[in-house]
Amino acid sequence: MAPRTLYDKIWDDHVVHQAEDGTCLLYIDRHLVHEVTSPQAFEGLRMAGRKVRAPEKTIAVPDHNVPTTLGRENPDQMPEESRIQVAALDKNAKDFGINYYPVTDIRQGIVHIVGPEQGWTLPGMTVVCGDSHTATHGAFGALAHGIGTSEVEHVLATQTLIQKKSKNMKVEITGSLRPGVTAKDITLSIIGHTGTAGGTGYVIEYCGQAIRELSMEGRMTVCNMAIEGGARAGLIAPDEKTFEYIKGRPHAPKGAKWEAALAYWKTLYTDEGAHFDKVVTIRGEDIAPVVTWGTSPEDVLPITGVVPDPESFTGGKVEAARRSLDYMGLKPGMKLTDIEIDTVFIGSCTNGRIEDLRAAAEILKGRKIKVKRAMVVPGSGLVRAQAEEEGLAQIFIDAGFEWRLAGCSMCLAMNPDQLAPGERCAATSNRNFEGRQGRGGRTHLMSPAMAAAAAVTGRLTNVRELMGEMV
Amino acid sequence: MDKFTTLTGIAAPMPLVNIDTDMIIPKQFLKTIQRSGLGKNLFDEMRYTPDGKEIPDFVLNQPAYRKAQILVAGDNFGCGSSREHAPWALLDFGIRCVISTSFADIFYNNCFKNGILPVVLPPEAVAHLMEDARKGENARITVDLEAQTVTASDGTTFHFDVDPFKKHCLLNGLDDIGLTLEKAAAIDAYEAKAATLRPWV
Ligand code: SF4
């Protein structure tokens, strides 16, 4: 057999049917569901008198809309429309018999954090969710991508998706990262390099020493933003770190099944000589701590840079950059480190895991915030509990942060966690679009350590300056 | 789903690149549990002031474009969130076709599930149609899915590519789920085989 990429292998193992024109029916191993993109899909099933084909492979959790303040079990805390949406998920999960983590369950959290945490996500699987950041699960060597609501309905009814195969793209990060540089800096730098459409039509496999050296948390951060680079999915080949992370999780295989799974997982890598349609190589040493300055995730610069001049771009990007700077209230030539911050948000499926909270707490220890408000929203109830046990919660609280319950929160601001017009936020989430965190809100994306640094200085800051001996 | 065969209509120019689905339909409108009724909030934050007044400069508020059925847009249209509320809002407003040099993957697929035709054309062709769209309601653009062509008001015709299966479904207004369920035996067979090969899944 010709050498195959990791993507080719997973794809081949999931083809149910292939039509002459190459359109495939692909089997879906895990379907994750949340409250915002599923109501119309369940309604569609009901109207057609259909059932969920594989409820045991379907996992639902409310996350986008739920309040993150204490006492949220009380429905009065939620605006009427959100309450209806969460109640609809409660009912749909029950009526259709699918796995469910309601807000009252400690395991509740952001769908892309809960899946891996509970051992639902395993190497070599196909994983979908009505959410573009499903790419996160690619960190396990699973083919994972976002789908629309019609496709959610299609998967619920048939456990398959109609797909055409994407092309293969390799993104290699060679060597090691320098101090203060994290997985978030890698993923933002890649998008800065390729642009938000650079991955369109591709599935990306991330590889290279710097990727291998990342923890599973870091790998999830990298894959999470594959979609911001336009790719259908991001993948990282599983290795000992992956197996170690999975072992013992509630839904991970056990005993003889574990051994069988392990033997299969070890075949999940790109064969020597396999063909990639596009290759990007970045030296790990060249990646700096970065921030975004504009309203597209491709608007990335090292923190030591200055706000660019729109005229320095070409084509449609000139007008887009002009509009961005106007929206962001910035002038060309300004030093990024002179930009003052009002609010800090640490959380989201990009950076709401335990390692992210540790990195931020490391910077915050013994320091106080200089911004108007700062909040930490752990990615799941279990992350929250662990952070409390490790004493991280206290560090955040002592520094002046609000310590919240799990959910998407200010990543997309569907609940009351929103920016006011003109309010400027250092955020660890993944999108800096106009209005993403609240109408008129201004978002700068960065790593948790960089967000913590901004919190204590009140402006965008090079985290290396606060790292003391660590550098 | 409504069929899409041919369409002759007013095209609105939106030359901005990277128009994301947060712009197309901001998150505060995702709380609905229905598909309809989103058209009034299409491009909400670009279209209305915070107190709900129309912003006269915005293209769809201009008299010539209030009945637009086609959008001609900048590169990478529909990037960002997977929300199908974006095509639902476009459709509810009356948009049946979007023309750009490139689309984000999920948005592109979502359009076909809702009777909207996304057309990818080279930059020169999009530039030509953008100029045409700027002429307002007198410049009607014709889109023919069967022939895979877009014709500008001056008669210039551009050919576009579309996946044959997607074209077939859109021309006939077919429901994917019904088509897939016809392959139930193949799905059963796959599940049986997978249960022995990968019993831990
Ligand atoms: S945290 Fe943000 S990006 Fe992630 S699933 Fe929630 S809303 Fe989407």
Side-chain angles (χ1 to χ4, degrees):
Chain A
M1 190 183 272
R4 293 182 298 165
T5 63
L6 172 56
Y7 171 47
D8 297 338
K9 290 182 182 180
I10 303 175
W11 177 273
D12 290 349
D13 279 354
H14 288 85
V15 175
V16 172
H17 177 267
Q18 179 158 359
E20 272 167 31
D21 70 350
T23 304
C24 287
L25 199 59
L26 206 65
Y27 195 79
I28 301 303
D29 294 322
R30 291 287 180 265
H31 185 193
L32 309 172
V33 174
H34 66 84
E35 79 277 26
V36 177
T37 56
S38 69
Q40 294 86 350
F42 284 112
E43 204 43 43
L45 288 189
R46 278 201 185 87
M47 274 159 35
R50 290 170 178 147
K51 291 197 302 212
V52 174
R53 182 178 170 102
E56 73 286 0
K57 293 172 182 170
T58 312
I59 300 102
V61 56
D63 56 1
H64 281 63
N65 244 321
V66 297
T68 59
T69 38
L70 289 174
R72 67 178 174 187
E73 317 71 61
N74 178 357
D76 295 346
Q77 266 220 23
M78 270 195 248
E80 180 67 2
E81 285 172 307
S82 306
R83 202 188 49 68
I84 292 172
Q85 214 168 44
V86 173
L89 188 63
D90 286 340
K91 178 167 165 42
N92 289 329
K94 191 155 160 269
D95 289 359
F96 290 93
I98 62 187
N99 301 287
Y100 190 47
Y101 303 103
V103 277
T104 47
D105 192 312
I106 190 169
R107 296 166 297 177
Q108 179 271 346
I110 304 169
V111 63
H112 309 308
I113 294 200
V114 173
E117 202 168 68
Q118 293 301 317
W120 289 113
T121 307
L122 300 173
M125 282 183 164
T126 45
V127 181
V128 296
C129 175
D131 185 281
S132 56
H133 292 98
T134 310
T136 313
H137 307 263
F140 292 80
L143 177 59
H145 59 85
I147 54 178
T149 298
S150 296
E151 290 176 317
V152 169
E153 186 179 337
H154 192 278
V155 178
L156 288 171
T158 69
Q159 206 58 31
T160 63
L161 259 190
I162 300 170
Q163 290 272 292
K164 267 245 168 103
K165 200 173 170 199
S166 305
K167 288 180 282 184
N168 279 287
M169 174 166 170
K170 172 160 99 170
V171 174
E172 185 176 10
I173 313 293
T174 61
S176 293
L177 298 178
R178 296 182 23 231
V181 180
T182 67
K184 185 64 164 290
D185 301 296
I186 294 182
T187 204
L188 282 172
S189 299
I190 294 169
I191 300 160
H193 189 89
T194 61
T196 46
T200 303
Y202 294 94
V203 164
I204 297 177
E205 180 175 347
Y206 299 98
C207 61
Q209 186 185 331
I211 298 290
R212 294 261 76 88
E213 287 175 1
L214 291 176
S215 65
M216 286 313 294
E217 283 87 350
R219 292 178 191 182
M220 284 188 253
T221 302
V222 170
C223 289
N224 175 273
M225 291 191 72
I227 183 72
E228 257 62 60
R232 169 160 296 176
L235 281 172
I236 295 175
D239 61 10
E240 289 305 324
K241 271 186 202 167
T242 321
F243 310 144
E244 192 53 39
Y245 179 98
I246 295 168
K247 199 164 188 182
R249 303 227 163 229
H251 295 278
K254 315 241 155 28
K257 279 188 183 167
W258 170 262
E259 294 307 324
L262 204 56
Y264 173 74
W265 295 344
K266 287 183 176 169
T267 68
L268 297 173
Y269 54 82
T270 291
D271 297 329
E272 191 70 33
H275 176 72
F276 283 96
D277 304 280
K278 186 169 176 179
V279 178
V280 170
T281 307
I282 297 176
R283 282 165 31 115
E285 296 83 4
D286 290 347
I287 300 176
V290 291
V291 294
T292 61
W293 52 267
T295 54
S296 166
E298 70 190 14
D299 300 340
V300 175
L301 279 175
I303 181 66
T304 49
V306 298
V307 175
D309 186 343
E311 305 304 325
S312 65
F313 296 98
T314 51
K317 187 73 190 170
V318 177
E319 186 47 39
R322 240 185 249 135
R323 188 183 162 97
S324 279
L325 291 193
D326 185 45
Y327 181 86
M328 294 296 288
L330 298 174
K331 295 258 174 307
M334 240 179 123
K335 280 168 77 175
L336 294 173
T337 48
D338 285 342
I339 298 174
E340 288 183 11
I341 295 295
D342 304 307
T343 297
V344 172
F345 168 67
I346 296 178
S348 87
C349 59
T350 318
N351 285 124
R353 284 169 285 269
I354 191 70
E355 187 183 279
D356 302 312
L357 304 194
R358 286 186 195 131
E362 184 68 35
I363 301 296
L364 293 171
K365 207 183 281 172
R367 294 185 166 115
K368 292 266 187 246
I369 61 166
K370 268 202 196 145
V371 286
K372 291 194 199 96
R373 61 168 170 160
M375 63 164 92
V376 193
V377 185
S380 72
L382 290 172
V383 169
R384 182 179 148 97
Q386 188 177 348
E388 286 175 347
E389 204 180 294
E390 291 182 17
L392 308 178
Q394 202 53 49
I395 295 175
F396 284 114
I397 293 165
D398 290 346
F401 271 78
E402 291 174 48
W403 180 242
R404 295 295 192 96
L405 298 175
C408 295
S409 179
M410 211 192 260
C411 172
L412 91 165
M414 271 188 83
N415 67 7
D417 306 343
Q418 299 197 2
L419 297 179
E423 188 175 349
R424 192 181 295 281
C425 179
T428 66
S429 45
N430 44 48
R431 287 192 176 134
N432 51 354
F433 298 156
E434 282 180 27
R436 171 78 180 181
Q437 296 195 281
R439 185 171 183 146
R442 294 164 170 165
T443 303
H444 296 274
L445 302 175
M446 63 198 74
S447 73
M450 288 281 284
V456 297
T457 63
R459 54 183 173 78
L460 294 182
T461 297
N462 188 347
V463 65
R464 286 178 174 154
E465 287 167 19
L466 299 183
M467 288 173 67
E469 274 124 62
M470 287 189 275
V471 179
Chain B
M1 184 179 86
D2 286 342
K3 293 178 185 178
F4 187 109
T5 49
T6 60
L7 168 70
T8 298
I10 298 167
M14 291 195 77
L16 201 63
V17 300
N18 296 332
I19 292 179
D20 58 70
T21 53
D22 273 80
M23 282 185 191
I24 298 172
I25 185 81
K27 70 250 162 192
Q28 58 271 34
F29 307 108
L30 308 189
K31 293 183 181 179
T32 174
I33 55 172
Q34 292 166 340
R35 290 173 204 246
S36 56
L38 289 165
K40 60 181 184 298
N41 304 112
L42 176 70
F43 294 112
D44 194 85
E45 293 179 3
M46 302 165 89
R47 199 164 143 206
Y48 306 107
T49 60
D51 55 1
K53 290 205 190 61
E54 282 190 5
I55 298 171
D57 281 354
F58 183 68
V59 61
L60 298 180
N61 288 335
Q62 295 169 18
Y65 299 110
R66 297 184 89 95
K67 293 212 167 68
Q69 291 178 284
I70 300 168
L71 283 186
V72 185
D75 312 343
N76 197 29
F77 188 86
C79 59
S81 159
S82 62
R83 58 188 69 164
E84 199 161 318
H85 308 69
W88 294 339
L90 287 165
L91 189 68
D92 198 58
F93 179 90
I95 303 287
R96 293 296 307 276
C97 175
V98 186
I99 301 170
S100 176
T101 57
S102 59
F103 291 88
D105 190 43
I106 303 176
F107 175 82
Y108 186 79
N109 281 322
N110 283 343
C111 282
F112 285 97
K113 315 277 179 197
N114 292 283
I116 298 176
L117 175 64
V119 173
V120 180
L121 286 172
E124 315 78 60
V126 174
H128 186 105
L129 294 167
M130 191 75 76
E131 272 316 305
D132 210 23
R134 286 203 170 98
K135 294 177 197 151
E137 57 201 319
N138 296 325
R140 310 239 158 183
I141 289 178
T142 297
V143 183
D144 183 338
L145 176 57
E146 181 62 55
Q148 297 180 214
T149 55
V150 178
T151 307
S153 62
D154 63 2
T156 316
T157 294
F158 304 98
H159 184 268
F160 63 89
D161 287 332
V162 60
D163 176 79
F165 178 73
K166 288 195 166 86
K167 174 178 171 180
H168 172 75
C169 290
L170 196 52
L171 277 174
N172 298 291
L174 294 178
D175 160 27
D176 280 354
I177 298 180
L179 289 175
T180 298
L181 286 174
E182 288 171 12
K183 302 204 180 77
I187 303 174
D188 290 339
Y190 177 90
E191 280 181 340
K193 189 182 74 178
T196 52
L197 289 176
R198 295 179 291 130
W200 60 86
V201 173

